[in-house]
Amino acid sequence: MKYWKYYLVALLVIVIDQLSKWAVHRYMPMGMPGEVPVFGDWFKLHYTLNPGMAFGVELPAPYGKVILTLFRLVAVTGISYYIYRLWKQHAPSGLLICIAMILGGAIGNLVDSIFYGVLYNNAPFNAPTPWLHGQVIDMLFVDFPDGFFPASWPFVGGEIIPDFPIFNIADSCIFIGVVLILIFQNRFYSQHLEEAHPVAANDATAAQARRDAEASEAV
């Protein structure tokens, strides 16, 4: 598979993510009045804005958002190069697709940060400029029932069930890409080492063969 096809995977993620955000902004009221049940009461579409990172974590104003946006820009540049480097080293297609999903998700949220303050006028009221201060549009809401974990459960027994963070398509692709890499890391990276360094993969076997030959000659 040509290396540019992995960038097409990232582009597909970006397009789907941006279309979903545009549709939510265009057609859904923000907050509970615009909430749309998808699967009963536990999975809904809920339009909300995230001014910071995952779980709403923010860096201090007034330049925290600019620093975060620039960091995201550096990160997507590094990931883009990493895909090409892994392709040159004959990394498995599965690994490259997972990283391409992460890249697409990162760029999707980066677009929000750079442009949405201007396109959708959603920069925080105290932002020094709408550029680089756009808020990320989130809409996927897994709504666990309010209550407490059973007291018999270890560690969390009796604790309040926390609200699940509202997220978007970009976040989902980043999460899925990372989880798949963690699940299949042994397969991905062992195959990568064998293809990138076929001689090194056989070093142990060759060394043992040499030792056996030397031992037979000594006898």
Side-chain angles (χ1 to χ4, degrees), residues 57-121:
V57 177
E58 298 182 63
L59 297 178
Y63 299 110
K65 182 68 174 182
V66 175
I67 294 172
L68 173 61
T69 302
L70 293 176
F71 172 79
R72 283 172 168 164
L73 185 59
V74 172
V76 299
T77 302
I79 296 171
S80 299
Y81 172 72
Y82 188 51
I83 289 175
Y84 177 72
R85 181 179 176 183
L86 286 177
W87 177 82
K88 291 282 286 185
Q89 296 174 351
H90 307 288
S93 294
L95 174 61
L96 290 170
I97 290 173
C98 289
I99 298 176
M101 291 175 62
I102 296 171
L103 174 63
I107 294 177
N109 285 334
L110 178 63
V111 170
D112 298 25
S113 297
I114 295 176
F115 299 109
Y116 278 15
V118 177
L119 292 178
Y120 298 149
N121 194 30

Side-chain angles (χ1 to χ4, degrees), residues 189-209:
Y189 287 102
S190 62
Q191 184 179 346
H192 175 42
L193 288 174
E194 289 175 3
E195 293 182 358
H197 306 287
V199 176
N202 295 322
D203 279 352
T205 303
Q208 184 62 46

Side-chain angles (χ1 to χ4, degrees), residues 86-200:
L86 286 177
W87 177 82
K88 291 282 286 185
Q89 296 174 351
H90 307 288
S93 294
L95 174 61
L96 290 170
I97 290 173
C98 289
I99 298 176
M101 291 175 62
I102 296 171
L103 174 63
I107 294 177
N109 285 334
L110 178 63
V111 170
D112 298 25
S113 297
I114 295 176
F115 299 109
Y116 278 15
V118 177
L119 292 178
Y120 298 149
N121 194 30
N122 72 2
F125 72 92
N126 60 345
T129 171
W131 293 101
L132 304 179
H133 284 83
Q135 300 189 73
V136 174
I137 292 178
D138 291 332
M139 78 293 291
L140 304 178
F141 183 25
V142 179
D143 190 7
F144 289 121
D146 295 333
F148 297 85
F149 289 110
S152 59
W153 287 18
F155 305 113
V156 296
E159 299 289 335
I160 297 176
I161 298 175
D163 290 331
F164 200 85
I166 302 174
F167 53 102
N168 55 44
I169 300 295
D171 299 330
S172 302
C173 290
I174 293 172
F175 177 78
I176 292 170
V178 171
V179 168
L180 289 177
I181 290 174
L182 292 175
I183 292 174
F184 298 107
Q185 60 180 319
N186 290 336
R187 179 185 302 178
F188 285 158
Y189 287 102
S190 62
Q191 184 179 346
H192 175 42
L193 288 174
E194 289 175 3
E195 293 182 358
H197 306 287
V199 176

